[in-house]
């Protein structure tokens, strides 16, 4: 397993686009957080909860989903999956190693992002005289940790979707269209009692202060983790059984 | 053993059984679409057979303790990421097999690509890519090599180079198992052949036996009393045809028997010669019934106009 992990790390780190996606994810999400903090018009509705929301922007998660998708689809596209599986024929090890590497990348990326975004966003809000979230607040720390966990899980979820669909274009479309279009539409149509269980609603719930119409922190985290585990399980089963 | 594999309704490999002897150079020969690559993928645990088993040193490939040090594989030409450099590709595989960095430089030297190591092999010519593929296969210094069409896309010089290298690897005591749709590429260097067509085993054994068993082994006879001799030979159960020079081509009776028969019957012989089949002829004959995409008209090797009754 150690060998496969090392091999997968070299595989990940020697492709420039992976590094670019990570950096672009951090930069773009930072930009969005700064813009939100600078321009949001909430007036009296502004709370520490809305302040935190401009930090825990889901955009980083979309980048990590794409990174996860690519970890499998690129291997199928370039035909290297068979090379990988002759070098490391234990498929479970290969699959889990990819997930571990992506999970770690998700953690590091989101921690780096938060380390810049949180103080920056709060400074902007403070400057504007709007309420801020304090890192010393237990619930704020919990939400930030939730964001990091969701980012790690999201990378693994993306990988599972990539392993199942195998085509970059289709898989990337799915992981973007689902949260940005389909789930937004469903959330608007369905009663809140149901829509709050949609995957990316639960991801959001895990990374914010308690908010009406959403699951609480732990339920949100557990539900998003459950979605991820189900996808990972199905993808792993198919990966080990089907032809490479 | 008893390997079978279908894609949809199409049976690609059908109850195929054969064995490759350790320490030999074995050519795995068959026309395109015969099921060679599929068989190799099943041997490596990449594709799962519908029935049967494939083992290496008695174990399924995924159960080998240290696969990269035991088996070197080249199954897909040009399967490289578009931007990862050749050296990084080797590093990635070396990590999977716990192989030293020094060995990376060694194999790059061996295939003459040391100076090209810092660009992506995706940009290599097919010839370079095949050489690089061989470097990948040799990374773990394995005792067994499984190579799918390693000469594909090489120029004649490259084919000769590959052939010599593979022969010398076999001479070092390695088991070399190489597929090709062109028998002639391997005929001079292989010890054994496994010939398949449409997923069926056609022949397996030494190259010499394969040729010997071919019906293209025949006796050429020239005689002024050709019709009389032909009649007698057919009576003996041999099959006889007349070639373009007017000479008899006899199958099913050796030169000794024909000479005796002619002598006893008082038939004058001007020429009596055993003609051995070339490997290519033997191959064409063996696979003639199973070539999938053969043109219907003209060059059908089984239906010579003066064919046997």
């Amino acid at each position: 397993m150690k060998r496969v992990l090392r091999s997968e790390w070299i595989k990940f780190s020697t492709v420039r686009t992976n590094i670019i996606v990570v950096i672009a994810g951090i930069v773009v999400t930072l930009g969005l957080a700064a813009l939100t903090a600078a321009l949001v018009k909430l007036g009296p509705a502004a709370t520490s909860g809305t302040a935190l929301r401009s930090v825990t922007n889901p955009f980083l998660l979309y980048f990590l989903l794409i990174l996860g998708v690519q970890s499998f689809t690129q291997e199928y596209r370039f035909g290297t999956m068979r090379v990988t599986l002759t070098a490391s024929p234990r498929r479970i090890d290969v699959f889990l190693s990819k997930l571990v590497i992506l999970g770690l990348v998700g953690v590091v990326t989101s921690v780096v992002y938060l380390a810049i975004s949180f103080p920056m966003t709060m400074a902007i809000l403070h400057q504007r005289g709007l309420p801020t979230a304090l890192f010393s607040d237990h619930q704020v720390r919990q939400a930030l940790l939730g964001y990091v966990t969701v980012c790690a899980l999201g990378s693994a979820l993306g990988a599972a979707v990539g392993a199942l669909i195998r085509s970059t274009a289709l898989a990337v479309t799915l992981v973007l269209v689902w949260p940005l279009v389909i789930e937004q539409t469903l959330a608007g149509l369905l009663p809140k009692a149901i829509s709050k269980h949609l995957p990316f609603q639960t991801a959001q719930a895990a990374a914010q202060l308690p908010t009406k119409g959403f699951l609480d922190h732990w339920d949100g985290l557990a539900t998003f983790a459950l979605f991820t585990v189900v996808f990972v399980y199905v993808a792993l089963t198919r990966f080990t059984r089907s032809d490479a | 053993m008893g390997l079978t594999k279908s894609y949809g309704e199409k049976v690609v490999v059908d109850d195929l059984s054969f064995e490759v002897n350790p320490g030999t150079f074995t050519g795995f020969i068959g026309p395109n679409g015969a099921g060679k690559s599929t068989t190799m993928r099943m041997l490596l645990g990449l594709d799962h057979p519908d029935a049967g088993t494939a083992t290496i040193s008695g174990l399924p490939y995924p159960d080998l303790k240290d696969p990269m040090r035991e088996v070197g594989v080249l199954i897909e030409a040009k399967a490289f990421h578009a931007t990862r450099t050749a050296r990084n590709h080797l590093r990635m595989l070396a990590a999977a097999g716990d192989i030293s960095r020094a060995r990376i430089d060694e194999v790059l030297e061996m295939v003459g690509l040391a100076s090209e190591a810092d660009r992506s092999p995706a940009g290599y010519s097919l010839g370079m890519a095949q050489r690089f593929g061989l470097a990948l296969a040799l990374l773990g210094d394995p005792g067994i090599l499984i190579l799918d069409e390693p000469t594909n896309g090489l120029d004649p010089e490259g084919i000769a180079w590959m052939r010599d290298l593979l022969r010398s690897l076999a001479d070092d005591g390695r088991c070399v198992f190489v597929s090709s749709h062109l028998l002639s590429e391997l005929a001079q260097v292989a010890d054994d052949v496994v010939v398949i067509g449409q997923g069926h085993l056609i022949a397996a054994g030494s190259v010499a036996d394969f040729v010997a068993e071919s019906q293209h082994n025949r006796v050429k006879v020239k005689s002024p009393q050709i019709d009389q001799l032909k009649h007698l030979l057919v009576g003996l159960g041999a099959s006889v045809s007349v070639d373009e020079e007017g000479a008899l081509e006899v199958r099913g009776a050796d030169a000794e028997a024909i000479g005796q028969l002619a002598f006893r019957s008082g038939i004058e012989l001007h020429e009596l010669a055993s003609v051995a089949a070339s490997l290519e002829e033997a191959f064409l004959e063996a696979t003639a019934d199973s070539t999938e995409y053969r043109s219907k008209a003209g060059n059908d090797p089984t239906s010579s106009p003066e064919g046997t009754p």
Side-chain angles (χ1 to χ4, degrees):
Chain A
M1 186 79 180
K2 213 178 97 194
R3 292 177 180 186
V4 192
L5 273 170
R6 269 187 57 209
S7 179
E8 285 300 325
W9 169 247
I10 295 173
K11 184 180 292 169
F12 177 86
S13 59
T14 53
V15 171
R16 213 180 317 129
T17 30
N18 288 338
I19 311 301
I20 292 172
V21 170
V22 168
I23 294 171
I26 293 175
V27 170
V28 170
T29 316
L30 276 175
L32 287 170
L35 271 178
T36 315
L39 302 174
V40 70
K41 288 194 182 73
L42 285 166
T47 60
S48 58
T50 58
L52 188 62
R53 263 202 188 191
S54 45
V55 175
T56 57
N57 190 303
F59 242 83
L60 189 61
L61 178 59
Y62 304 147
F63 278 90
L64 291 169
L65 280 164
I66 292 173
L67 209 57
V69 161
Q70 291 220 346
S71 69
F72 276 91
T73 57
Q74 283 202 337
E75 290 229 37
Y76 288 113
R77 176 177 159 215
F78 291 114
T80 52
M81 187 54 92
R82 286 178 179 147
V83 178
T84 298
L85 291 180
T86 44
S88 316
R90 288 181 50 93
R91 295 192 186 189
I92 292 186
D93 288 3
V94 170
F95 193 95
L96 294 180
S97 294
K98 279 187 190 295
L99 258 53
V100 168
I101 299 290
L102 286 163
L104 288 175
V105 168
V107 168
V108 171
T109 307
S110 53
V111 166
V112 168
Y113 162 76
L114 288 178
I116 307 169
S117 179
F118 188 78
M120 177 190 75
T121 310
M122 293 312 147
I124 297 171
L125 290 170
H126 181 73
Q127 198 106 71
R128 292 180 63 201
L130 290 168
T132 57
L134 294 172
F135 192 70
S136 55
D137 181 341
H138 165 69
Q139 282 192 317
V140 170
R141 287 206 305 273
Q142 207 171 54
L144 293 176
L145 201 59
Y147 186 75
V148 172
T149 313
V150 161
C151 281
L153 289 171
S155 310
L157 178 62
V161 172
L164 280 171
I165 297 184
R166 293 192 181 192
S167 142
T168 309
L170 270 178
V172 166
T173 306
L174 180 70
V175 299
L176 292 183
V177 165
W178 177 268
L180 289 170
V181 181
I182 299 178
E183 206 173 292
Q184 300 282 345
T185 311
L186 288 175
L189 293 174
L190 297 170
K192 272 280 175 196
I194 296 171
S195 72
K196 67 182 178 185
H197 292 97
L198 291 169
F200 290 87
Q201 304 292 307
T202 67
Q204 194 180 330
Q208 66 188 4
L209 299 180
T211 308
K212 208 170 158 277
F214 285 91
L215 294 175
D216 74 23
H217 171 77
W218 290 112
D219 285 348
L221 203 55
T223 313
F224 189 66
L226 184 68
F227 279 119
T228 306
V229 167
V230 168
F231 266 88
V232 165
Y233 179 77
V234 173
L236 178 59
T237 308
R238 169 149 178 234
F239 184 68
T240 50
R241 289 191 191 159
S242 67
D243 292 343
Chain B
M1 292 296 106
L3 274 184
T4 301
K5 176 77 183 174
S6 313
Y7 295 111
E9 299 213 325
K10 191 165 160 47
V11 182
V12 177
V13 174
D14 194 1
D15 198 16
L16 180 65
S17 296
F18 65 87
E19 218 169 289
V20 174
N21 297 315
T24 60
F25 187 139
T26 303
F28 187 35
I29 318 285
N32 286 324
K36 301 186 297 294
S37 299
T38 307
T39 303
M40 284 186 157
R41 286 201 303 273
M42 289 192 281
L43 183 58
L44 296 168
L46 293 171
D47 285 11
H48 303 295
D50 300 332
T53 54
T55 57
I56 296 172
S57 314
L59 289 172
Y61 181 84
D63 294 346
L64 292 177
K65 227 173 108 196
D66 207 345
M68 283 188 72
R69 289 175 198 276
E70 291 175 61
V71 185
V73 178
L74 168 59
I75 46 161
E76 226 151 333
K78 301 215 91 174
F80 315 113
H81 188 277
T83 60
R84 186 184 292 119
T85 66
R87 185 180 300 280
N88 283 334
H89 192 92
L90 281 162
R91 277 179 59 213
M92 170 185 106
L93 294 177
D98 200 16
I99 292 157
S100 76
R101 282 190 171 223
R103 180 66 186 165
I104 293 178
D105 293 318
E106 241 173 75
V107 293
L108 281 168
E109 255 345 296
M110 204 183 291
V111 299
L113 287 172
S115 60
E116 307 284 343
D118 293 317
R119 64 187 183 103
S120 169
Y124 286 178
S125 69
L126 193 50
M128 286 165 80
Q130 293 284 31
R131 270 155 52 204
F132 183 60
L134 195 62
L136 298 177
L138 291 171
L139 195 56
D141 197 14
I144 299 169
L145 285 169
I146 296 176
L147 314 171
D148 194 8
E149 301 267 2
T151 51
N152 216 1
L154 295 181
D155 55 18
E157 201 185 331
I159 291 173
W161 173 86
M162 179 72 76
R163 216 161 33 198
D164 291 347
L165 183 58
L166 294 180
R167 185 64 250 179
S168 73
L169 290 167
D171 290 341
D172 290 345
R174 290 182 177 83
C175 175
V176 181
F177 185 54
V178 181
S179 79
S180 177
H181 63 282
L182 293 173
L183 181 77
S184 53
E185 282 181 0
L186 300 176
Q188 306 149 32
V189 284
D191 305 309
D192 293 348
V193 281
V194 172
V195 181
I196 67 167
Q198 284 191 345
H200 292 277
L201 183 70
I202 291 174
S206 76
V207 171
D209 287 348
F210 178 59
V211 176
E213 273 167 30
S214 164
Q215 293 205 357
H216 273 280
N217 287 328
R218 57 202 184 262
V219 181
K220 188 175 172 185
V221 189
K222 278 187 178 171
S223 164
Q225 292 144 280
I226 202 157
D227 288 331
Q228 199 186 341
L229 183 59
K230 189 175 170 181
H231 188 73
L232 286 168
L233 284 166
V234 171
L236 266 183
S239 67
V240 184
S241 58
V242 182
D243 74 8
E244 57 270 25
E245 297 170 46
L248 286 181
E249 285 195 351
V250 186
R251 291 178 178 80
D254 61 18
E256 196 183 321
I258 297 168
Q260 236 174 39
L261 181 74
F263 179 72
R264 274 198 246 121
S265 319
I267 293 171
E268 189 180 334
L269 294 184
H270 291 172
E271 186 176 336
L272 178 64
S274 295
V275 182
S278 77
L279 203 50
E280 202 65 43
E281 280 177 310
F283 172 64
L284 284 174
E285 179 187 275
T287 57
D289 297 327
S290 65
T291 309
E292 198 170 357
Y293 309 106
R294 190 164 33 117
S295 63
K296 286 239 158 62
N299 55 356
D300 185 335
T302 49
S303 62
S304 71
E306 311 210 8
T308 53

